[in-house]
Amino acid sequence: MTSGEQGRGQEQPSAHGGGSSGGGGGGDWQRDVLRELGGGGSGPSDAGTHSSAEAGVGVGTEGDAPGPHVGGPHAPGAVLPDASASADASLSAPGAPDSPASPSPIPADRAIDEPVPERPAAPSSPVPARGARLPAAPAPESSPTLDPRLLLALGRPPHGDSVTRRTGRALRRLTSSAAQDVAEQTRVARELQQPVTTGRVVAVTSIRGGVGKSTVSALLGRTLNHYRHDPVLTLEADAALGTLPVRLGAEAVRWTCADLASVLHPSMRLTDVTGYLVPVPDGGWLLPASRGQVGPPLDMTAYRKVTLALRRYFAVTVVDCETLPGEVARTAMDTAHARVVVSPATAEGVNATRQVLDWLARLPHSALATTVVALVSGTPDALLDGKTAAGHLKEAGVTVVAVPYDRHLAGGGPIRTDLLAHDTRQAVLRLAAEVMGRAVRVR
């Protein structure tokens, strides 16, 4: 074991499974990620380093050691090779779906025209033999997120602000202090770009459906991907025909969270994993929970396996959970580094959300310190006073961020950040900064 590994071994993962929150030390993690995304791969000199480092990190329970350091835009971490797994460096990683198998090598003393015997098929056991390629899982059929007829019926998405409000804001900007706006934007960007040592998981849930949970998840995923230079994943853990793929602008989905759980392996690299994900048009990655069909709900074992494994590859994972009190939602809220509870700005919604906060306070490790409430207004004519609602929730000891009514979000369909209202963008930035600040501080 190297001295760097001994130092890392002193950090014990908490009940959340996370590492420490400080910045990483000078390794090549981010450089390797960028090279993999660019299709460059690894040369012969560092092949053993990748294989041994990845084979040493399992996909097991939350007691596993923390994964490699995940650096921010200016603080890359380090990937240390695992000496105990160096003997398995020749194990080939499974490729993305439909990737061709490696050809059999021809010995030097064999004539070119002499027939080469066929390589025997790989065993079907879960643990492959040395030098054998993992059997490829049958690829599921791709499904569109929306019926093509509905896509043709979609009209032009409206802007979140009316023309009058946009004109008035442009006039006020001429007389306002630009230095103050720049200072605030710099502060928010610094919060969102904090380096992390292991992948952070942010769970988003609500007490009932239809209050904007998937919309808030999509906004958080896009905001974090815009400001961070390391990979960001938005994961859907609600198989009840959720709207997250539509809100993120995905045209079709193929592999689901349950499908990926059956093929994940510690030797997989980032390029192997992204072959099973959906690229988001604005950047980042999406892992849906279903293919737009009614099916079995996501089980807790598959959720734990996927989230623990993908933390090795993504700096931040935003999880769109099922509604409480579902089993996966309770597990996600208990094991995440930070939590967002989406509450509708109604009397009954605020009252139910307060009960959720009281439940979080009774957990063995109180989760209120890492919880933020998003108070979402679904109508321009709200009956409940916003300050009174926020004050009632703050009594539980949490931070409340009010997300105002937005015409663009209320219209449904794919979210376009350039059409969001100004107040909505500011609220989402504050919400993301609050969540990221709490996720980084968790050990």
Side-chain angles (χ1 to χ4, degrees):
M1 181 179 292
T2 62
S3 59
E5 289 174 309
Q6 295 174 356
R8 185 179 61 174
Q10 296 175 359
E11 293 186 14
Q12 298 296 331
S14 66
H16 298 282
S20 60
S21 58
D28 292 334
W29 183 91
Q30 191 177 22
R31 190 179 308 159
D32 294 339
V33 168
L34 296 177
R35 183 169 61 248
E36 289 185 29
L37 290 177
S42 302
S45 61
D46 60 351
T49 302
H50 279 288
S51 179
S52 60
E54 294 172 358
V57 184
V59 193
T61 61
E62 288 184 294
D64 294 339
H69 289 273
V70 182
H74 303 294
V79 177
L80 301 177
D82 189 349
S84 64
S86 59
D88 295 332
S90 61
L91 179 64
S92 58
D98 303 330
S99 62
S102 301
S104 302
I106 301 178
D109 57 351
R110 186 183 298 276
I112 297 179
D113 57 350
E114 184 177 348
V116 180
E118 296 183 358
R119 174 181 295 182
S124 59
S125 58
V127 180
R130 185 183 304 275
R133 176 176 292 273
L134 291 175
E141 295 292 334
S142 178
S143 302
T145 56
L146 282 177
D147 190 288
R149 293 170 297 180
L150 296 178
L151 289 176
L152 294 177
L154 278 177
R156 183 178 180 181
H159 197 285
D161 281 329
S162 63
V163 177
T164 304
R165 297 189 64 179
R166 280 179 281 167
T167 303
R169 182 171 294 107
L171 294 176
R172 289 192 299 270
R173 192 182 298 118
L174 298 176
T175 59
S176 62
S177 174
Q180 184 177 359
D181 294 340
V182 171
E184 178 64 17
Q185 294 177 5
T186 303
R187 183 193 67 80
V188 172
R190 189 181 298 112
E191 288 285 333
L192 297 176
Q193 294 173 353
Q194 294 183 76
V196 296
T197 53
T198 57
R200 307 281 96 176
V201 178
V202 177
V204 183
T205 188
S206 62
I207 195 62
R208 59 180 176 85
V211 301
K213 173 177 59 68
S214 297
T215 299
V216 171
S217 301
L219 291 172
L220 284 176
R222 285 192 163 182
T223 301
L224 292 171
N225 178 79
H226 176 77
Y227 280 90
R228 299 191 64 86
H229 295 177
D230 36 24
V232 175
L233 171 68
T234 307
L235 187 151
E236 185 183 32
D238 185 2
L241 301 181
T243 59
L244 183 62
V246 176
R247 297 302 254 171
L248 285 175
E251 297 182 357
V253 294
R254 191 173 188 180
W255 294 84
T256 66
C257 189
D259 296 332
L260 184 58
S262 63
V263 299
L264 276 174
H265 192 270
S267 63
M268 297 177 71
R269 299 171 57 185
L270 176 62
T271 49
D272 300 325
V273 173
T274 54
Y276 297 93
L277 306 179
V278 180
V280 179
D282 290 348
W285 303 93
L286 163 69
L287 179 59
S290 68
R291 284 182 286 274
Q293 301 170 352
V294 178
L298 179 66
D299 62 277
M300 186 175 60
T301 303
Y303 170 79
R304 283 179 176 270
K305 181 177 181 180
V306 169
T307 53
L308 287 174
L310 295 184
R311 279 170 48 188
R312 298 170 47 205
Y313 310 100
F314 297 93
V316 184
T317 300
V318 179
V319 181
D320 180 16
C321 302
E322 62 181 353
T323 57
L324 290 168
E327 184 182 28
V328 174
R330 286 186 282 112
T331 301
M333 294 291 285
D334 188 33
T335 58
H337 300 93
R339 304 150 188 84
V340 178
V341 180
V342 180
S343 171
T346 60
E348 61 273 20
V350 172
N351 183 71
T353 303
R354 176 61 186 271
Q355 297 178 17
V356 173
L357 299 178
D358 294 339
W359 168 74
L360 291 175
R362 293 192 299 268
L363 292 178
H365 47 278
S366 178
L368 290 181
T370 55
T371 300
V372 182
V373 175
L375 188 61
V376 178
S377 297
T379 174
D381 303 318
L383 299 178
L384 183 64
D385 180 67
K387 293 183 178 179
T388 303
H392 183 70
L393 296 173
K394 288 180 180 179
E395 292 177 357
V398 297
T399 299
V400 178
V401 177
V403 181
Y405 171 78
D406 190 294
R407 298 190 309 169
H408 177 63
L409 296 179
I415 297 176
R416 287 180 49 182
T417 54
D418 60 316
L419 295 180
L420 292 176
H422 177 267
D423 293 343
T424 303
R425 288 198 298 267
Q426 297 302 313
V428 173
L429 283 175
R430 184 190 170 200
L431 178 63
E434 295 283 351
V435 170
M436 199 64 204
R438 286 159 173 76
V440 168
R441 290 196 296 267
V442 174
R443 295 183 62 86

